[in-house]
Amino acid sequence: EKFGVSRTPVRDAIRLLQEQGFVKNVPYQGVFVTLLSLNYIKQMIYMRVAVETSVLRDFAKAASEFALEDIRYLIRKQEALIKEPGFTPEQFYRLDAQMHAVWFEATKRTVLWDMLQKQDLYYTRFRMLDFTTETDFSRIIKEHKRLLNCIEQKDFKGIEEEPDEGKFDI
């Protein structure tokens, strides 16, 4: 009622959220947001690290100067964004996702990227919560710069290395 939407589109939206595992319908009680599964998230992170490490190695081998400049540009945009008053974690997440997409596109792994994105709705929900609580976006940018340096130097061991803080930017 508040937004002037009829019941049919609301039901359709709730059905889609239910199909994706974001909500559950409890008869005679209502619709409730589902809890995040830490086990599922850990496995998703493991998969992303394994896949993206391979893609980054391939990217380091084949990246054109144009693709490298795309990465440099997106890192500069991230740096500029975090200086803007009132920026949102979602804005940072979008730039971050664009950078990951460049790696997959440059290595001709777009089908894999699309599969990860479709599979990743649950993981993205967690990631957005993580970005919302993450206050040190400069740490993420520092990790992006470290990865870019490894790519430019073709330092494959460095690509596989965990960041100093022991957290992967995924």
Side-chain angles (χ1 to χ4, degrees):
E1 283 179 22
K2 182 178 179 180
F3 296 106
V5 180
S6 68
R7 290 179 183 218
T8 302
V10 171
R11 278 193 201 114
D12 290 344
I14 290 173
R15 183 184 50 76
L16 286 172
L17 289 170
Q18 193 171 358
E19 286 173 6
Q20 294 170 352
F22 293 129
V23 298
K24 65 179 176 180
N25 188 3
V26 179
Y28 307 107
Q29 291 183 11
V31 177
F32 299 92
V33 175
T34 57
L35 298 175
L36 292 170
S37 165
L38 192 55
N39 180 46
Y40 182 87
I41 292 165
K42 284 180 179 180
Q43 290 184 49
M44 204 51 155
I45 289 171
Y46 184 87
M47 180 185 69
R48 290 286 302 250
V49 169
V51 170
E52 289 193 0
T53 299
S54 292
V55 168
L56 280 173
R57 277 195 311 266
D58 292 346
F59 184 75
K61 291 175 190 172
S64 67
E65 187 55 39
F66 189 77
L68 289 169
E69 188 54 41
D70 280 346
I71 300 298
R72 289 184 201 107
Y73 174 67
L74 288 164
I75 291 172
R76 286 193 308 271
K77 282 182 79 169
Q78 290 173 348
E79 289 175 316
L81 176 66
I82 66 171
K83 292 176 185 170
E84 288 292 315
F87 87 91
T88 65
E90 185 179 356
Q91 292 170 306
F92 191 91
Y93 171 73
R94 284 188 182 140
L95 286 175
D96 186 66
Q98 286 175 20
M99 187 174 65
H100 289 242
V102 169
W103 302 334
F104 283 81
E105 288 169 13
T107 57
K108 298 184 180 9
R109 304 282 191 269
T110 54
V111 172
L112 183 57
W113 176 250
D114 291 341
M115 287 170 53
L116 285 173
Q117 293 304 294
K118 288 176 186 167
Q119 185 87 23
D120 260 6
L121 292 173
Y122 195 78
Y123 171 71
T124 300
R125 177 179 166 201
F126 166 76
R127 191 169 187 218
M128 285 306 297
L129 290 172
D130 185 46
F131 268 122
T132 302
T133 59
E134 173 68 61
T135 55
D136 190 6
F137 291 100
S138 59
R139 179 197 61 79
I140 297 170
I141 294 170
K142 180 180 172 186
E143 173 59 11
H144 289 164
K145 287 180 174 182
R146 185 191 74 76
L147 285 171
L148 177 60
N149 185 58
C150 290
I151 290 165
E152 291 173 329
Q153 302 301 315
K154 302 205 184 308
D155 176 5
F156 301 108
K157 287 188 186 263
I159 289 171
E160 295 175 14
E161 215 173 82
E162 281 194 50
D164 295 336
E165 290 83 1
K167 280 179 84 175
F168 278 100
D169 163 47
I170 301 172

